[in-house]
Amino acid sequence: MKWIKRFFIFILVLALGGLAFLATSYWLSRRNPTWYKPLALNSREMEAAAHRAFNKVVAIHNMADYAAATDTSKKWREAHGVTTLPAPPPITISFTQDELTAFIAHWTKLNSDRVDRYLTGPQFVLEDGQIKFACRITKLDQIGVLRIEPTIDEKGMLHLEIVSVSAGSLPVPEAVVERRLDKAEAELQKWIPDWQRKATIGLEGANTDAVKAAMSKLLLHTMHHQPSSPVLFMPIDSHKTVPMKLTKVMVGTGSITLTVEPLTEDDRTATLKSLREPIDMATAATTN
């Protein structure tokens, strides 16, 4: 009956191997990445870093505000023979990973009543052309890590390639992530057509529906490994949001550099036309 003995030994080894795999997976999922240290800076350094990031955002805000004012008064100047003001030049700004971490930490603190139920302890790490974002997911009580590689292609389209998603130090298969995002995608697909129909982008800026439609399409394109329009939206006040074009993005070790410029009239027309185009995720999902 040696074969019975060998069979039970095989089953025992298989069971032990399975238990070892499960134990290792659990340990990795609960193990924080070695680089995850969202509170490495003291409060004074965090405050200074957040202030630097805020000032850089203000510089982009000021350019957007100037561009909006220039466009709004264009027709009046033309009608009165006033010399056309030059459009603001592109602006290039770099953010360090500490500035981004401090900025998002400050924002989450101000909105803790809404944010803490979902995440705490956000941190950015920038290296090897990738943005690594980590936080503690409240419901799971474990660290989630998202790695994204942003690029602008030769046609000027924005790619946000999701490199990996991890639970602690354990990589999460893309299929698992996709299943959890299916419900969110289905909801967006229901809302987007109405936002597209109501979207406007003109001299006065972009309305809320345009912003919602654009950001939703960006999310869906990212989920399906598709390029998106490189248009960002800069709030000027509670009623106005000015679209800006992202023309360059470079992630170095510890910093990210962005170049943005205001949209021309032709850019706004093309952006609105693209924004209103329907999304065919069936086609997008098979075109990687």
Side-chain angles (χ1 to χ4, degrees):
M1 306 298 285
K2 290 184 178 180
W3 68 270
I4 296 179
K5 183 178 180 181
R6 290 174 180 174
F7 175 76
F8 279 108
I9 291 175
F10 172 76
I11 294 298
L12 179 60
V13 171
L14 189 64
L16 291 175
L19 289 173
F21 173 77
L22 292 175
T24 301
S25 298
Y26 178 79
W27 178 76
L28 287 173
S29 69
R30 308 304 297 186
R31 178 175 176 267
N32 295 349
T34 56
W35 49 265
Y36 179 69
K37 300 174 182 178
L39 301 179
L41 298 175
N42 62 41
S43 58
R44 181 173 297 179
E45 291 172 335
M46 288 283 285
E47 183 178 348
H51 186 68
R52 291 195 302 271
F54 177 78
N55 286 340
K56 293 174 182 180
V57 172
V58 167
I60 300 175
H61 176 283
N62 289 342
M63 183 183 73
D65 195 17
Y66 177 80
T70 301
D71 281 342
T72 301
S73 61
K74 180 180 179 181
K75 293 187 180 299
W76 183 91
R77 294 195 311 272
E78 290 176 348
H80 292 77
V82 180
T83 303
T84 300
L85 295 175
I91 184 171
T92 299
I93 291 180
S94 294
F95 295 90
T96 68
Q97 59 190 30
D98 287 344
E99 289 171 348
L100 292 178
T101 297
F103 187 83
I104 192 67
H106 179 70
W107 181 85
T108 56
K109 183 178 180 180
L110 293 177
N111 297 275
S112 59
D113 56 327
R114 291 178 294 171
V115 177
D116 285 358
R117 71 182 70 175
Y118 301 108
L119 62 89
T120 57
Q123 181 186 7
F124 285 95
V125 170
L126 309 170
E127 61 182 6
D128 299 327
Q130 296 179 8
I131 301 172
K132 292 196 290 188
F133 176 75
C135 64
R136 181 168 294 279
I137 301 173
T138 304
K139 288 187 177 180
L140 301 178
D141 191 28
Q142 65 180 173
I143 302 301
V145 182
L146 176 65
R147 289 179 173 84
I148 296 179
E149 185 173 317
T151 56
I152 302 290
D153 65 22
E154 65 280 0
K155 296 181 180 179
M157 298 295 286
L158 173 63
H159 294 252
L160 293 177
E161 186 65 28
I162 298 177
V163 178
S164 66
V165 178
S166 304
S169 297
L170 179 67
V172 178
E174 184 175 351
V176 174
V177 178
E178 287 179 348
R179 286 198 298 270
R180 292 187 174 274
L181 292 175
D182 281 346
K183 183 177 180 181
E185 179 174 337
E187 290 298 316
L188 286 176
Q189 291 283 20
K190 290 190 297 185
W191 298 333
I192 287 177
D194 186 56
W195 293 336
Q196 290 174 312
R197 181 176 56 83
K198 297 177 181 178
T200 61
I201 300 177
L203 294 177
E204 71 284 356
N207 66 355
T208 302
D209 292 295
V211 177
K212 289 179 179 178
M215 294 301 97
S216 297
K217 291 187 74 171
L218 173 63
L219 175 59
L220 292 179
H221 285 147
T222 299
M223 288 166 53
H224 290 273
H225 309 285
Q226 292 296 298
S228 296
S229 175
V231 177
L232 308 177
F233 294 87
M234 176 60 64
I236 298 302
D237 53 40
S238 58
H239 305 289
K240 182 185 295 185
T241 300
V242 176
M244 309 291 291
K245 183 191 296 183
L246 178 64
T247 58
K248 291 182 182 179
V249 56
M250 184 178 67
V251 181
T253 301
S255 67
I256 182 172
T257 301
L258 309 172
T259 299
V260 296
E261 61 184 43
L263 269 62
T264 64
E265 185 174 352
D266 289 342
D267 288 333
R268 289 193 295 270
T269 300
T271 297
L272 184 58
K273 180 181 178 181
S274 174
L275 185 60
R276 287 177 171 168
E277 291 176 352
I279 306 175
D280 185 358
M281 286 294 108
T283 300
T286 59
T287 310
N288 292 330

